Amino acid sequence: MDIIQLIVLGSALFFFAVVVAMTSKNKITDQYAFMWLTLSVIGVILAVALPFLNRLALSIGIAYLPSLIFLLAFLVVLFLLIYHTSLLSKQESRLKVLIQEVGYLEKELRDARNGDKHP
Amino acid sequence: MDSKILIIVPAYNEEQAIVNTVRALEKFVEYDYIIVNDGSTDMTKNLLETHQFNHITLPVNLGIGGAVQTGYRYAVRHGYDYAIQLDADGQHNPEDLRHLVSEMEKRQVDMLIGSRFLEKSNYRGSFLRRTGILYFNYLLRLIARVNITDPTSGYRIVNRRVCEWFAVDYPVDYPEVEVIAKIARKGYKVEETKVEMNARQGGVSSITPVKSLYYMAKVTFFSLIRSYI
């Protein structure tokens, strides 16, 4: 195992450990924890399989493996961003309903206190 | 005339105009009104409370769409037959309310928009605003096959069927044109009738040139996507 592989493996294991620690302390909810655990496991597997990947890349005509990894990593990050935007939008629309309901309930309460002057 | 009618007045930082607007509305005893104070940071909330106007105060600012939708949810909950949107800044003339309601009942459409341009009126907007209005007119003709001379007018009346739709689905910002495209394409009847509009009594228009461009691009984009896909 050469130095670069050790660094990659170390980083992947560290990332995995961070995700496990955050999950155990409930800092990430289950749905996201599972996604990050899966990604970090894939990271560790890729780090271990680096020599094999290099040979595979050469055999299919890719002269420089990192370019492929960067492309894949970029696509994964892009996908995650869209996924998070969709989650954020969902939260926003839920929040909107809650804010409207809070306003409505506050009005009901006020009317009840004032003897229901309005419909 | 025994329809139950609600006037929805969205208000954001309208301390200068809100009292006059509501006082004018209160003359129409046959209609109910609800002011939706959209998280105003000025004295609007205090004024509404002091005068004991019928209002909902949203704890944070949701934007015009969220505020108006609150009104539609209220209309559905209280079983109103028609809901009328009316701006708090005094631009919409309450004298047109009865005209809107009687035309709505006569024509039996789903949405009736108060237009400044259907006949000659005293309204003169800026060049940018008139260009935008013309653009939206063409856009709606193209994608929804309706000819609306004043598509950005917020002065409009809808029936219960549309209220129920808007209570669950209403755009957050710049909703006026988009909802016309949406409901017209679904086969709902949208028509116009002539109204007069005044210059605003207080506050400033929220539309800047950059926002206008965003408005036009956003409405075009979403109207196209949500109408065809």
Side-chain angles (χ1 to χ4, degrees), chain A residues 87-103, chain B residues 58-62 69 73:
Chain A
L87 289 175
L88 202 64
S89 308
K90 207 160 119 186
Q91 304 286 11
E92 253 177 48
S93 55
R94 286 175 177 176
L95 204 58
K96 185 180 81 176
V97 174
L98 282 178
I99 291 165
Q100 290 173 335
E101 281 301 304
V102 168
Chain B
L58 299 175
V60 293
N61 177 259
L62 280 184
Q69 191 183 37
R73 290 167 68 100

Side-chain angles (χ1 to χ4, degrees), chain B residues 1-8 30-34 71-72 74-76 78-85 97 100-112 156-164:
Chain B
M1 188 163 61
D2 40 22
S3 303
K4 234 180 131 189
I5 293 156
L6 177 74
I7 303 161
I8 300 168
E30 67 269 43
Y31 308 142
D32 294 333
Y33 70 86
I34 181 82
Y72 285 118
Y74 182 88
V76 170
H78 292 265
Y80 284 95
D81 300 305
Y82 298 110
I84 305 173
Q85 251 176 266
L97 282 170
L100 274 175
V101 173
S102 67
E103 282 294 306
M104 184 73 173
E105 287 177 330
K106 197 166 79 189
R107 298 193 203 180
Q108 289 296 309
V109 290
D110 295 293
M111 177 190 271
L112 188 66
R156 41 181 72 183
I157 176 168
V158 299
N159 63 13
R160 191 191 298 214
R161 198 165 149 232
V162 176
C163 277
E164 282 166 3

Side-chain angles (χ1 to χ4, degrees), chain B residues 52-63:
Chain B
Q52 295 201 336
F53 292 149
N54 190 35
H55 72 280
I56 290 176
T57 285
L58 299 175
V60 293
N61 177 259
L62 280 184

Side-chain angles (χ1 to χ4, degrees), chain B residues 29 34 39 44 52 60 94 142 154 160 179 196:
Chain B
V29 285
I34 181 82
T44 303
Q52 295 201 336
V60 293
L142 187 75
R160 191 191 298 214
V179 294
E196 277 291 336

Side-chain angles (χ1 to χ4, degrees), chain B residues 3-202:
Chain B
S3 303
K4 234 180 131 189
I5 293 156
L6 177 74
I7 303 161
I8 300 168
V9 187
Y12 176 64
N13 290 350
E14 294 287 1
E15 62 182 10
Q16 290 174 322
I18 191 70
V19 175
N20 286 341
T21 302
V22 182
R23 287 276 179 250
L25 287 181
E26 282 181 332
K27 289 180 196 153
F28 299 86
V29 285
E30 67 269 43
Y31 308 142
D32 294 333
Y33 70 86
I34 181 82
I35 300 149
V36 184
N37 171 26
D38 189 14
S40 296
T41 50
D42 64 355
M43 295 296 285
T44 303
K45 183 172 187 259
N46 297 38
L47 288 170
L48 294 172
E49 280 169 2
T50 314
H51 291 88
Q52 295 201 336
F53 292 149
N54 190 35
H55 72 280
I56 290 176
T57 285
L58 299 175
V60 293
N61 177 259
L62 280 184
I64 179 72
V68 169
Q69 191 183 37
T70 309
Y72 285 118
R73 290 167 68 100
Y74 182 88
V76 170
R77 226 169 246 192
H78 292 265
Y80 284 95
D81 300 305
Y82 298 110
I84 305 173
Q85 251 176 266
L86 180 131
D87 283 359
D89 59 13
Q91 282 198 78
H92 297 162
N93 191 348
E95 298 304 318
D96 285 315
L97 282 170
R98 287 200 179 108
H99 170 68
L100 274 175
V101 173
S102 67
E103 282 294 306
M104 184 73 173
E105 287 177 330
K106 197 166 79 189
R107 298 193 203 180
Q108 289 296 309
V109 290
D110 295 293
M111 177 190 271
L112 188 66
I113 299 168
S115 169
R116 288 161 281 192
F117 309 116
L118 214 53
E119 294 166 33
K120 272 203 180 313
S121 81
N122 296 326
Y123 177 82
R124 293 285 171 271
S126 68
F127 171 73
L128 199 65
R129 182 170 267 270
R130 277 181 284 136
T131 312
I133 287 168
L134 205 62
Y135 171 76
F136 288 134
N137 173 266
Y138 278 111
L139 186 74
L140 284 175
R141 276 204 242 175
L142 187 75
I143 63 177
R145 307 256 172 253
V146 283
N147 184 10
I148 304 295
T149 59
D150 197 357
T152 61
S153 163
Y155 203 9
R156 41 181 72 183
I157 176 168
V158 299
N159 63 13
R160 191 191 298 214
R161 198 165 149 232
V162 176
C163 277
E164 282 166 3
W165 179 340
F166 287 172
V168 289
D169 179 17
Y170 202 76
V172 176
D173 57 355
Y174 305 115
E176 296 85 6
V177 183
E178 203 181 316
V179 294
I180 300 174
K182 255 184 173 176
I183 70 169
R185 275 193 66 86
K186 286 273 178 202
Y188 287 60
K189 270 186 162 171
V190 183
E191 286 184 11
E192 280 186 308
T193 187
K194 190 212 162 203
V195 293
E196 277 291 336
M197 287 199 198
N198 312 316
R200 55 174 59 241
Q201 290 185 12

Side-chain angles (χ1 to χ4, degrees), chain A residues 35-85:
Chain A
M35 179 188 77
W36 285 114
L37 279 173
T38 312
L39 281 175
S40 58
V41 168
I42 290 173
V44 174
I45 293 172
L46 285 178
V48 174
L50 208 52
F52 169 75
L53 283 177
N54 258 322
R55 280 198 298 278
L56 182 78
L58 281 174
S59 70
I60 58 171
I62 297 166
Y64 188 59
L65 179 66
S67 62
L68 178 68
I69 291 179
F70 272 122
L71 175 69
L72 292 177
F74 178 73
L75 289 176
V76 168
V77 169
L78 202 62
F79 170 77
L80 281 178
L81 277 176
I82 293 172
Y83 177 61
H84 281 129
T85 305

